[in-house]
Amino acid sequence: MAKKVEVRIKRQKDNQAEPYWEEFHVDYQPNMNVITLLQEIQRNPVTVQGEKTTPVAWDCSCLEEICGACTMVINGQVQQSCSALVDNLEQPIVLEPMRKFPIVRDLLVDRTRMFEALKKVKAWIPIDGTYDLGAGPKQSQTNQQEMYLYSRCMTCGCCVDACPQYTPDNSFVGPAALGQVFLFNQNPTGKFNKEERLAAIMGDGGIQECGNAQNCVRVCPKEIPLTTGIAKLNGATLSQALKNLLKK
Amino acid sequence: MSSVPESPFLLRRFQSLLGIIPIGAFFCEHAFTNSLAYFYGPEKFNEAVEFLQGLPFVLFMEVFLIGVPILLHAAIGLYIWIFGQSNVQHYGYLRNWLYSLQRWTGVIAIIFIVYHVYKLRIEWTLNPDIHHINFEYVQEYFSKAWHVVFYFIGVAASAFHFANGLWNFMVKWGITVGERAQTASGYACSLIGVGVFAFFMSSLYAFS
């Protein structure tokens, strides 16, 4: 008899519906990840009790831990399901949706709030104009290397899922957006709009809501030094706030 | 508030600052004065109390440099507590525990301070027979066993809250930035917390 993989999945019809659990036994294949596990269940959605059920809904795209779409809570740990290998996971493998976002269905969540936060903090560099702006200012290798760490953010949401200050009821922009403020404020061209970004994180739900629990840096799959970036931003935001207070 | 867009940020930094100056500074002074009872005996303790109570504008200072800052710190602190949601059951990292403990010890400290201020500051002030609090008065207070236990818990919570708050303060004001600096300041703050706690405990030993 073929080896089976035990899976427990927390399911939910929509955001208002009550969640419930279903268990599945899936035929083991070498090098399986959680995505292939879910694909097997989709192919044959029969629970361990032998009852036919609806296929489990989830999200995925790149399958190489670069897009962040397939993030979910696996055995209590928030992570990407594409890079979660069955061989490395304790069984039964427990799959739950992320905890902080509205649920669309089953493991599929709506992460709009993260993208709204990026818009709020202006996590971009405006370079559109009516004429060619030419090359940007030069930047040092050291600065490039530091910025590169923060540029790896894929807005997957692991950090906000683990952050105790980010809850469904409040307005905190979260560690990912703050990391992007740091990134764009470090950029020699991005610096021109530094004040606008700092102004955005001084308002409601801004950097002051960080509680230094530092879970974000522990769970970030891209190992972004979020807490260092936030601490640097703390200093920058403080001096900007005092400057505004005294000069405006 | 909208006329000052920086206000949400500044209000919280103000809360953080109040925790160090004047509250933290007073907390350390209090530990030092109390410990005189253990290191130099009841007379020195009574002398120190006489000195402090004889300072000019002492009531004004007690209300506006200690009382009001504690109330403001606590009020904003309670708001901070309600804003977040502890998740140590999911993420048992040390700093996450410290985050939650900071909130719980804050609440314990509020309860302790309210009772403490009533029993050892307000009560004798309202009694015309008593001029100043002194060693014997405090000794009498600690004759109740639960007062000793309550003091132990209250001071432990306050010392933790102060030490961890100091660590947090340095991050929030952009002083300790990198991981190594934050680890080092963590050890330093632990030492300070244990130190202040030990000073208070020495006085508890002398009083009871």
Side-chain angles (χ1 to χ4, degrees), chain A residues 78 99 161-162 164-165 167 170 202 207-209 211-215 218-219 232 234 238 244, chain B residues 6 8-9 12-13 83-85 87 90-91 93 95-96 99 168 171-174 177 182:
Chain A
V78 67
R99 301 177 182 105
D161 194 79
Q165 284 290 90
T167 72
N170 68 32
M202 284 179 211
I207 194 169
Q208 70 276 6
E209 302 299 354
N212 284 317
Q214 304 205 340
N215 291 344
R218 304 294 289 267
V219 300
K232 286 185 180 174
N234 272 332
L238 184 67
N244 291 356
Chain B
E6 300 86 0
F9 175 78
R12 298 288 289 278
R13 287 300 176 266
F83 187 93
Q85 209 167 48
N87 61 359
H90 298 306
Y91 298 96
Y93 306 124
R95 290 261 161 78
N96 199 28
Y99 164 91
N168 260 293
V171 180
K172 287 181 179 170
W173 286 67
V177 171
Q182 291 181 0

mmCIF file of all heavy atoms in Angstrom, chain A residues 78 99 161-162 164-165 167 170 202 207-209 211-215 218-219 232 234 238 244, chain B residues 6 8-9 12-13 83-85 87 90-91 93 95-96 99 168 171-174 177 182:
data_model
loop_
_atom_site.group_PDB
_atom_site.id
_atom_site.type_symbol
_atom_site.label_atom_id
_atom_site.label_comp_id
_atom_site.label_asym_id
_atom_site.label_seq_id
_atom_site.Cartn_x
_atom_site.Cartn_y
_atom_site.Cartn_z
ATOM 1 N N VAL A 78 3.418 30.742 9.787
ATOM 2 C CA VAL A 78 3.042 31.394 8.535
ATOM 3 C C VAL A 78 4.207 31.293 7.551
ATOM 4 O O VAL A 78 5.359 31.545 7.895
ATOM 5 C CB VAL A 78 2.605 32.862 8.786
ATOM 6 C CG1 VAL A 78 3.750 33.738 9.250
ATOM 7 C CG2 VAL A 78 1.934 33.439 7.552
ATOM 8 N N ARG A 99 -4.101 34.808 9.395
ATOM 9 C CA ARG A 99 -5.005 35.172 10.490
ATOM 10 C C ARG A 99 -5.511 36.608 10.465
ATOM 11 O O ARG A 99 -6.443 36.936 11.173
ATOM 12 C CB ARG A 99 -4.285 34.945 11.825
ATOM 13 C CG ARG A 99 -3.835 33.511 12.044
ATOM 14 C CD ARG A 99 -3.081 33.400 13.351
ATOM 15 N NE ARG A 99 -2.587 32.044 13.592
ATOM 16 C CZ ARG A 99 -1.312 31.684 13.451
ATOM 17 N NH1 ARG A 99 -0.411 32.564 13.068
ATOM 18 N NH2 ARG A 99 -0.947 30.446 13.705
ATOM 19 N N ASP A 161 1.117 38.991 9.616
ATOM 20 C CA ASP A 161 0.409 37.883 10.251
ATOM 21 C C ASP A 161 0.971 37.631 11.650
ATOM 22 O O ASP A 161 0.236 37.336 12.588
ATOM 23 C CB ASP A 161 0.552 36.615 9.407
ATOM 24 C CG ASP A 161 -0.436 35.543 9.835
ATOM 25 O OD1 ASP A 161 -1.605 35.652 9.434
ATOM 26 O OD2 ASP A 161 -0.043 34.639 10.596
ATOM 27 N N ALA A 162 2.291 37.768 11.788
ATOM 28 C CA ALA A 162 2.935 37.483 13.072
ATOM 29 C C ALA A 162 2.946 38.690 14.003
ATOM 30 O O ALA A 162 3.179 38.549 15.201
ATOM 31 C CB ALA A 162 4.363 37.011 12.831
ATOM 32 N N PRO A 164 1.824 41.331 16.551
ATOM 33 C CA PRO A 164 0.694 41.477 17.474
ATOM 34 C C PRO A 164 0.022 42.845 17.397
ATOM 35 O O PRO A 164 -1.085 43.019 17.883
ATOM 36 C CB PRO A 164 1.337 41.273 18.853
ATOM 37 C CG PRO A 164 2.772 41.599 18.671
ATOM 38 C CD PRO A 164 3.110 41.249 17.250
ATOM 39 N N GLN A 165 0.698 43.820 16.794
ATOM 40 C CA GLN A 165 0.123 45.160 16.690
ATOM 41 C C GLN A 165 -0.738 45.313 15.432
ATOM 42 O O GLN A 165 -1.386 46.328 15.252
ATOM 43 C CB GLN A 165 1.236 46.220 16.666
ATOM 44 C CG GLN A 165 1.864 46.492 18.011
ATOM 45 C CD GLN A 165 0.925 47.212 18.959
ATOM 46 O OE1 GLN A 165 0.186 46.576 19.711
ATOM 47 N NE2 GLN A 165 0.930 48.524 18.940
ATOM 48 N N THR A 167 -3.874 44.085 13.710
ATOM 49 C CA THR A 167 -5.072 43.266 13.931
ATOM 50 C C THR A 167 -6.136 43.653 12.905
ATOM 51 O O THR A 167 -6.062 44.738 12.323
ATOM 52 C CB THR A 167 -5.649 43.480 15.350
ATOM 53 O OG1 THR A 167 -6.251 44.780 15.389
ATOM 54 C CG2 THR A 167 -4.588 43.393 16.429
ATOM 55 N N ASN A 170 -7.620 47.289 13.510
ATOM 56 C CA ASN A 170 -6.927 48.573 13.592
ATOM 57 C C ASN A 170 -6.354 48.994 12.245
ATOM 58 O O ASN A 170 -6.569 48.334 11.224
ATOM 59 C CB ASN A 170 -5.871 48.557 14.705
ATOM 60 C CG ASN A 170 -4.710 47.633 14.415
ATOM 61 O OD1 ASN A 170 -4.328 47.441 13.271
ATOM 62 N ND2 ASN A 170 -4.129 47.080 15.457
ATOM 63 N N MET A 202 3.602 59.186 10.168
ATOM 64 C CA MET A 202 3.422 59.859 11.464
ATOM 65 C C MET A 202 1.953 59.924 11.829
ATOM 66 O O MET A 202 1.608 60.246 12.956
ATOM 67 C CB MET A 202 3.922 61.301 11.388
ATOM 68 C CG MET A 202 5.399 61.465 11.416
ATOM 69 S SD MET A 202 5.742 63.214 11.295
ATOM 70 C CE MET A 202 7.284 63.167 10.430
ATOM 71 N N ILE A 207 4.173 54.533 12.131
ATOM 72 C CA ILE A 207 5.289 53.820 12.744
ATOM 73 C C ILE A 207 5.175 53.751 14.266
ATOM 74 O O ILE A 207 5.690 52.824 14.896
ATOM 75 C CB ILE A 207 6.640 54.455 12.316
ATOM 76 C CG1 ILE A 207 7.807 53.519 12.664
ATOM 77 C CG2 ILE A 207 6.821 55.843 12.931
ATOM 78 C CD1 ILE A 207 9.117 53.921 12.048
ATOM 79 N N GLN A 208 4.450 54.711 14.869
ATOM 80 C CA GLN A 208 4.319 54.716 16.330
ATOM 81 C C GLN A 208 3.594 53.484 16.846
ATOM 82 O O GLN A 208 3.673 53.170 18.030
ATOM 83 C CB GLN A 208 3.625 55.994 16.806
ATOM 84 C CG GLN A 208 2.152 56.111 16.473
ATOM 85 C CD GLN A 208 1.889 56.642 15.068
ATOM 86 O OE1 GLN A 208 2.823 56.823 14.298
ATOM 87 N NE2 GLN A 208 0.636 56.863 14.732
ATOM 88 N N GLU A 209 2.881 52.777 15.964
ATOM 89 C CA GLU A 209 2.155 51.590 16.429
ATOM 90 C C GLU A 209 3.057 50.364 16.557
ATOM 91 O O GLU A 209 2.635 49.338 17.070
ATOM 92 C CB GLU A 209 0.976 51.274 15.499
ATOM 93 C CG GLU A 209 -0.034 52.399 15.348
ATOM 94 C CD GLU A 209 -0.698 52.801 16.658
ATOM 95 O OE1 GLU A 209 -0.460 52.138 17.686
ATOM 96 O OE2 GLU A 209 -1.434 53.803 16.653
ATOM 97 N N GLY A 211 5.308 47.822 18.152
ATOM 98 C CA GLY A 211 5.459 47.519 19.572
ATOM 99 C C GLY A 211 6.731 46.751 19.884
ATOM 100 O O GLY A 211 6.877 46.216 20.981
ATOM 101 N N ASN A 212 7.636 46.641 18.917
ATOM 102 C CA ASN A 212 8.917 45.965 19.122
ATOM 103 C C ASN A 212 8.820 44.514 19.556
ATOM 104 O O ASN A 212 9.702 44.027 20.270
ATOM 105 C CB ASN A 212 9.766 46.724 20.143
ATOM 106 C CG ASN A 212 10.368 47.963 19.537
ATOM 107 O OD1 ASN A 212 10.845 47.921 18.412
ATOM 108 N ND2 ASN A 212 10.311 49.058 20.269
ATOM 109 N N ALA A 213 7.760 43.828 19.188
ATOM 110 C CA ALA A 213 7.688 42.396 19.494
ATOM 111 C C ALA A 213 8.674 41.639 18.599
ATOM 112 O O ALA A 213 9.105 40.538 18.925
ATOM 113 C CB ALA A 213 6.279 41.869 19.294
ATOM 114 N N GLN A 214 9.005 42.256 17.461
ATOM 115 C CA GLN A 214 10.024 41.746 16.547
ATOM 116 C C GLN A 214 9.743 40.370 15.956
ATOM 117 O O GLN A 214 10.650 39.666 15.531
ATOM 118 C CB GLN A 214 11.409 41.790 17.211
ATOM 119 C CG GLN A 214 11.750 43.204 17.688
ATOM 120 C CD GLN A 214 13.228 43.475 17.800
ATOM 121 O OE1 GLN A 214 14.025 42.552 17.877
ATOM 122 N NE2 GLN A 214 13.614 44.741 17.784
ATOM 123 N N ASN A 215 8.465 39.986 15.927
ATOM 124 C CA ASN A 215 8.115 38.737 15.251
ATOM 125 C C ASN A 215 8.344 38.855 13.747
ATOM 126 O O ASN A 215 8.679 37.865 13.088
ATOM 127 C CB ASN A 215 6.635 38.399 15.466
ATOM 128 C CG ASN A 215 6.339 38.009 16.892
ATOM 129 O OD1 ASN A 215 7.256 37.714 17.652
ATOM 130 N ND2 ASN A 215 5.078 37.985 17.252
ATOM 131 N N ARG A 218 11.551 37.649 12.477
ATOM 132 C CA ARG A 218 11.723 36.206 12.688
ATOM 133 C C ARG A 218 11.010 35.372 11.619
ATOM 134 O O ARG A 218 11.455 34.279 11.287
ATOM 135 C CB ARG A 218 11.198 35.788 14.075
ATOM 136 C CG ARG A 218 11.804 36.529 15.251
ATOM 137 C CD ARG A 218 13.268 36.225 15.420
ATOM 138 N NE ARG A 218 13.530 34.885 15.900
ATOM 139 C CZ ARG A 218 13.671 34.555 17.174
ATOM 140 N NH1 ARG A 218 13.554 35.474 18.105
ATOM 141 N NH2 ARG A 218 13.932 33.317 17.528
ATOM 142 N N VAL A 219 9.872 35.873 11.137
ATOM 143 C CA VAL A 219 9.094 35.066 10.187
ATOM 144 C C VAL A 219 9.315 35.437 8.730
ATOM 145 O O VAL A 219 8.874 34.715 7.840
ATOM 146 C CB VAL A 219 7.574 35.132 10.488
ATOM 147 C CG1 VAL A 219 7.269 34.607 11.878
ATOM 148 C CG2 VAL A 219 7.035 36.540 10.309
ATOM 149 N N LYS A 232 15.804 52.517 12.297
ATOM 150 C CA LYS A 232 16.385 53.666 11.593
ATOM 151 C C LYS A 232 15.305 54.681 11.238
ATOM 152 O O LYS A 232 15.511 55.891 11.339
ATOM 153 C CB LYS A 232 17.110 53.209 10.329
ATOM 154 C CG LYS A 232 18.434 52.529 10.627
ATOM 155 C CD LYS A 232 19.198 52.195 9.357
ATOM 156 C CE LYS A 232 20.516 51.510 9.712
ATOM 157 N NZ LYS A 232 21.231 51.035 8.525
ATOM 158 N N ASN A 234 12.578 55.098 12.880
ATOM 159 C CA ASN A 234 12.170 55.733 14.139
ATOM 160 C C ASN A 234 12.944 57.023 14.330
ATOM 161 O O ASN A 234 12.362 58.066 14.636
ATOM 162 C CB ASN A 234 12.454 54.809 15.328
ATOM 163 C CG ASN A 234 11.304 53.859 15.607
ATOM 164 O OD1 ASN A 234 10.152 54.173 15.317
ATOM 165 N ND2 ASN A 234 11.615 52.715 16.177
ATOM 166 N N LEU A 238 11.341 60.768 13.933
ATOM 167 C CA LEU A 238 11.398 61.654 15.097
ATOM 168 C C LEU A 238 12.014 63.001 14.726
ATOM 169 O O LEU A 238 11.446 64.055 15.032
ATOM 170 C CB LEU A 238 12.200 60.994 16.217
ATOM 171 C CG LEU A 238 12.266 61.772 17.516
ATOM 172 C CD1 LEU A 238 10.899 61.842 18.166
ATOM 173 C CD2 LEU A 238 13.262 61.130 18.475
ATOM 174 N N ASN A 244 9.349 69.568 11.722
ATOM 175 C CA ASN A 244 8.045 70.118 11.317
ATOM 176 C C ASN A 244 7.482 71.014 12.412
ATOM 177 O O ASN A 244 6.953 72.089 12.156
ATOM 178 C CB ASN A 244 7.037 68.987 11.069
ATOM 179 C CG ASN A 244 7.386 68.175 9.834
ATOM 180 O OD1 ASN A 244 8.333 68.494 9.118
ATOM 181 N ND2 ASN A 244 6.635 67.119 9.602
ATOM 182 N N GLU B 6 1.416 65.533 12.802
ATOM 183 C CA GLU B 6 2.393 64.670 13.479
ATOM 184 C C GLU B 6 1.874 64.158 14.820
ATOM 185 O O GLU B 6 2.560 63.380 15.483
ATOM 186 C CB GLU B 6 3.704 65.437 13.735
ATOM 187 C CG GLU B 6 4.401 65.965 12.502
ATOM 188 C CD GLU B 6 3.872 67.327 12.082
ATOM 189 O OE1 GLU B 6 2.972 67.854 12.753
ATOM 190 O OE2 GLU B 6 4.353 67.846 11.052
ATOM 191 N N PRO B 8 -0.357 61.972 16.158
ATOM 192 C CA PRO B 8 -0.397 60.574 16.617
ATOM 193 C C PRO B 8 0.999 60.053 16.974
ATOM 194 O O PRO B 8 1.194 59.403 17.993
ATOM 195 C CB PRO B 8 -0.972 59.813 15.415
ATOM 196 C CG PRO B 8 -1.710 60.826 14.630
ATOM 197 C CD PRO B 8 -0.963 62.109 14.817
ATOM 198 N N PHE B 9 1.966 60.398 16.144
ATOM 199 C CA PHE B 9 3.342 59.950 16.380
ATOM 200 C C PHE B 9 3.919 60.605 17.636
ATOM 201 O O PHE B 9 4.458 59.936 18.524
ATOM 202 C CB PHE B 9 4.204 60.288 15.154
ATOM 203 C CG PHE B 9 5.665 59.993 15.320
ATOM 204 C CD1 PHE B 9 6.142 58.698 15.218
ATOM 205 C CD2 PHE B 9 6.570 61.012 15.590
ATOM 206 C CE1 PHE B 9 7.487 58.426 15.377
ATOM 207 C CE2 PHE B 9 7.908 60.744 15.756
ATOM 208 C CZ PHE B 9 8.368 59.451 15.645
ATOM 209 N N ARG B 12 2.656 59.417 21.079
ATOM 210 C CA ARG B 12 3.195 58.136 21.529
ATOM 211 C C ARG B 12 4.646 58.261 21.963
ATOM 212 O O ARG B 12 5.100 57.579 22.887
ATOM 213 C CB ARG B 12 3.027 57.110 20.409
ATOM 214 C CG ARG B 12 1.560 56.896 20.068
ATOM 215 C CD ARG B 12 0.896 56.127 21.170
ATOM 216 N NE ARG B 12 1.397 54.789 21.105
ATOM 217 C CZ ARG B 12 0.915 53.903 20.260
ATOM 218 N NH1 ARG B 12 -0.108 54.194 19.512
ATOM 219 N NH2 ARG B 12 1.455 52.728 20.185
ATOM 220 N N ARG B 13 5.391 59.142 21.314
ATOM 221 C CA ARG B 13 6.776 59.340 21.746
ATOM 222 C C ARG B 13 6.790 60.054 23.094
ATOM 223 O O ARG B 13 7.665 59.818 23.928
ATOM 224 C CB ARG B 13 7.549 60.153 20.698
ATOM 225 C CG ARG B 13 7.858 59.350 19.452
ATOM 226 C CD ARG B 13 8.698 58.122 19.797
ATOM 227 N NE ARG B 13 8.920 57.278 18.633
ATOM 228 C CZ ARG B 13 8.164 56.236 18.320
ATOM 229 N NH1 ARG B 13 7.143 55.907 19.070
ATOM 230 N NH2 ARG B 13 8.426 55.504 17.255
ATOM 231 N N PHE B 83 -5.131 48.383 21.478
ATOM 232 C CA PHE B 83 -4.834 48.443 20.040
ATOM 233 C C PHE B 83 -4.312 47.104 19.514
ATOM 234 O O PHE B 83 -4.718 46.632 18.469
ATOM 235 C CB PHE B 83 -3.797 49.543 19.791
ATOM 236 C CG PHE B 83 -3.528 49.823 18.341
ATOM 237 C CD1 PHE B 83 -4.230 50.814 17.678
ATOM 238 C CD2 PHE B 83 -2.567 49.104 17.646
ATOM 239 C CE1 PHE B 83 -3.976 51.090 16.346
ATOM 240 C CE2 PHE B 83 -2.316 49.367 16.307
ATOM 241 C CZ PHE B 83 -3.024 50.367 15.662
ATOM 242 N N GLY B 84 -3.404 46.476 20.259
ATOM 243 C CA GLY B 84 -2.777 45.243 19.778
ATOM 244 C C GLY B 84 -3.474 43.997 20.276
ATOM 245 O O GLY B 84 -4.484 44.058 20.973
ATOM 246 N N GLN B 85 -2.938 42.849 19.894
ATOM 247 C CA GLN B 85 -3.516 41.568 20.287
ATOM 248 C C GLN B 85 -2.367 40.582 20.500
ATOM 249 O O GLN B 85 -1.704 40.199 19.541
ATOM 250 C CB GLN B 85 -4.434 41.092 19.170
ATOM 251 C CG GLN B 85 -5.581 40.240 19.644
ATOM 252 C CD GLN B 85 -6.598 40.074 18.530
ATOM 253 O OE1 GLN B 85 -6.239 39.759 17.408
ATOM 254 N NE2 GLN B 85 -7.862 40.307 18.838
ATOM 255 N N ASN B 87 -0.061 37.485 20.791
ATOM 256 C CA ASN B 87 -0.127 36.214 20.063
ATOM 257 C C ASN B 87 1.010 35.265 20.466
ATOM 258 O O ASN B 87 1.557 34.548 19.632
ATOM 259 C CB ASN B 87 -0.160 36.451 18.544
ATOM 260 C CG ASN B 87 1.080 37.157 18.031
ATOM 261 O OD1 ASN B 87 1.976 37.498 18.814
ATOM 262 N ND2 ASN B 87 1.166 37.358 16.737
ATOM 263 N N HIS B 90 0.940 31.629 19.452
ATOM 264 C CA HIS B 90 1.380 31.246 18.099
ATOM 265 C C HIS B 90 2.879 31.461 17.907
ATOM 266 O O HIS B 90 3.543 30.700 17.212
ATOM 267 C CB HIS B 90 0.627 32.046 17.032
ATOM 268 C CG HIS B 90 -0.853 31.817 17.038
ATOM 269 N ND1 HIS B 90 -1.394 30.561 16.956
ATOM 270 C CD2 HIS B 90 -1.894 32.678 17.121
ATOM 271 C CE1 HIS B 90 -2.716 30.653 16.979
ATOM 272 N NE2 HIS B 90 -3.043 31.933 17.094
ATOM 273 N N TYR B 91 3.398 32.565 18.476
ATOM 274 C CA TYR B 91 4.802 32.894 18.276
ATOM 275 C C TYR B 91 5.470 33.089 19.636
ATOM 276 O O TYR B 91 5.356 34.151 20.231
ATOM 277 C CB TYR B 91 4.941 34.158 17.408
ATOM 278 C CG TYR B 91 4.358 33.958 16.031
ATOM 279 C CD1 TYR B 91 3.062 34.366 15.744
ATOM 280 C CD2 TYR B 91 5.087 33.309 15.047
ATOM 281 C CE1 TYR B 91 2.508 34.149 14.483
ATOM 282 C CE2 TYR B 91 4.545 33.089 13.792
ATOM 283 C CZ TYR B 91 3.255 33.508 13.519
ATOM 284 O OH TYR B 91 2.725 33.284 12.274
ATOM 285 N N TYR B 93 8.449 33.580 20.650
ATOM 286 C CA TYR B 93 9.785 34.187 20.699
ATOM 287 C C TYR B 93 9.923 35.063 21.944
ATOM 288 O O TYR B 93 8.949 35.637 22.420
ATOM 289 C CB TYR B 93 10.035 35.056 19.460
ATOM 290 C CG TYR B 93 9.827 34.360 18.141
ATOM 291 C CD1 TYR B 93 8.952 34.869 17.202
ATOM 292 C CD2 TYR B 93 10.511 33.178 17.835
ATOM 293 C CE1 TYR B 93 8.748 34.241 15.979
ATOM 294 C CE2 TYR B 93 10.322 32.550 16.616
ATOM 295 C CZ TYR B 93 9.443 33.083 15.695
ATOM 296 O OH TYR B 93 9.250 32.461 14.482
ATOM 297 N N ARG B 95 11.189 38.098 22.447
ATOM 298 C CA ARG B 95 10.769 39.503 22.339
ATOM 299 C C ARG B 95 9.249 39.618 22.277
ATOM 300 O O ARG B 95 8.669 40.603 22.727
ATOM 301 C CB ARG B 95 11.384 40.163 21.099
ATOM 302 C CG ARG B 95 12.879 40.366 21.207
ATOM 303 C CD ARG B 95 13.240 41.790 21.623
ATOM 304 N NE ARG B 95 14.590 41.873 22.142
ATOM 305 C CZ ARG B 95 15.695 41.879 21.401
ATOM 306 N NH1 ARG B 95 15.607 41.817 20.084
ATOM 307 N NH2 ARG B 95 16.875 41.954 21.966
ATOM 308 N N ASN B 96 8.594 38.594 21.745
ATOM 309 C CA ASN B 96 7.136 38.606 21.696
ATOM 310 C C ASN B 96 6.565 38.445 23.102
ATOM 311 O O ASN B 96 5.579 39.081 23.461
ATOM 312 C CB ASN B 96 6.639 37.483 20.778
ATOM 313 C CG ASN B 96 5.209 37.697 20.320
ATOM 314 O OD1 ASN B 96 4.755 38.837 20.228
ATOM 315 N ND2 ASN B 96 4.496 36.614 20.059
ATOM 316 N N TYR B 99 6.957 41.723 24.808
ATOM 317 C CA TYR B 99 5.904 42.625 24.325
ATOM 318 C C TYR B 99 4.633 42.452 25.146
ATOM 319 O O TYR B 99 4.046 43.416 25.629
ATOM 320 C CB TYR B 99 5.643 42.337 22.842
ATOM 321 C CG TYR B 99 4.347 42.889 22.291
ATOM 322 C CD1 TYR B 99 4.282 44.155 21.714
ATOM 323 C CD2 TYR B 99 3.175 42.132 22.345
ATOM 324 C CE1 TYR B 99 3.095 44.652 21.217
ATOM 325 C CE2 TYR B 99 1.977 42.626 21.859
ATOM 326 C CZ TYR B 99 1.939 43.880 21.294
ATOM 327 O OH TYR B 99 0.748 44.368 20.801
ATOM 328 N N ASN B 168 12.792 49.459 25.128
ATOM 329 C CA ASN B 168 11.890 49.908 24.074
ATOM 330 C C ASN B 168 12.123 51.364 23.713
ATOM 331 O O ASN B 168 12.080 51.740 22.541
ATOM 332 C CB ASN B 168 10.442 49.772 24.554
ATOM 333 C CG ASN B 168 9.802 48.525 24.002
ATOM 334 O OD1 ASN B 168 9.589 48.422 22.810
ATOM 335 N ND2 ASN B 168 9.525 47.582 24.866
ATOM 336 N N VAL B 171 14.909 51.885 21.342
ATOM 337 C CA VAL B 171 14.596 51.517 19.954
ATOM 338 C C VAL B 171 13.697 52.587 19.339
ATOM 339 O O VAL B 171 13.917 53.045 18.219
ATOM 340 C CB VAL B 171 13.903 50.143 19.887
ATOM 341 C CG1 VAL B 171 13.578 49.787 18.441
ATOM 342 C CG2 VAL B 171 14.778 49.065 20.518
ATOM 343 N N LYS B 172 12.692 53.005 20.098
ATOM 344 C CA LYS B 172 11.700 53.941 19.560
ATOM 345 C C LYS B 172 12.286 55.318 19.268
ATOM 346 O O LYS B 172 11.776 56.028 18.423
ATOM 347 C CB LYS B 172 10.523 54.072 20.532
ATOM 348 C CG LYS B 172 9.663 52.836 20.504
ATOM 349 C CD LYS B 172 8.487 52.961 21.423
ATOM 350 C CE LYS B 172 7.647 51.704 21.327
ATOM 351 N NZ LYS B 172 6.634 51.654 22.356
ATOM 352 N N TRP B 173 13.317 55.686 19.996
ATOM 353 C CA TRP B 173 13.927 56.986 19.761
ATOM 354 C C TRP B 173 15.126 56.863 18.821
ATOM 355 O O TRP B 173 15.922 57.794 18.689
ATOM 356 C CB TRP B 173 14.320 57.636 21.095
ATOM 357 C CG TRP B 173 13.111 58.124 21.818
ATOM 358 C CD1 TRP B 173 12.110 57.351 22.355
ATOM 359 C CD2 TRP B 173 12.705 59.477 22.047
ATOM 360 N NE1 TRP B 173 11.127 58.141 22.892
ATOM 361 C CE2 TRP B 173 11.472 59.452 22.725
ATOM 362 C CE3 TRP B 173 13.281 60.708 21.746
ATOM 363 C CZ2 TRP B 173 10.797 60.617 23.103
ATOM 364 C CZ3 TRP B 173 12.595 61.872 22.133
ATOM 365 C CH2 TRP B 173 11.371 61.812 22.798
ATOM 366 N N GLY B 174 15.234 55.703 18.196
ATOM 367 C CA GLY B 174 16.277 55.515 17.174
ATOM 368 C C GLY B 174 17.692 55.500 17.725
ATOM 369 O O GLY B 174 18.637 55.845 17.027
ATOM 370 N N VAL B 177 19.827 50.707 17.116
ATOM 371 C CA VAL B 177 19.267 50.416 15.805
ATOM 372 C C VAL B 177 19.523 48.975 15.372
ATOM 373 O O VAL B 177 18.601 48.225 15.067
ATOM 374 C CB VAL B 177 19.815 51.408 14.753
ATOM 375 C CG1 VAL B 177 19.417 50.998 13.354
ATOM 376 C CG2 VAL B 177 19.317 52.822 15.049
ATOM 377 N N GLN B 182 20.863 46.164 19.996
ATOM 378 C CA GLN B 182 19.630 45.875 20.727
ATOM 379 C C GLN B 182 19.809 44.703 21.691
ATOM 380 O O GLN B 182 19.213 44.679 22.769
ATOM 381 C CB GLN B 182 18.481 45.605 19.751
ATOM 382 C CG GLN B 182 18.068 46.870 18.994
ATOM 383 C CD GLN B 182 16.917 46.654 18.041
ATOM 384 O OE1 GLN B 182 16.388 45.549 17.912
ATOM 385 N NE2 GLN B 182 16.516 47.705 17.354
#
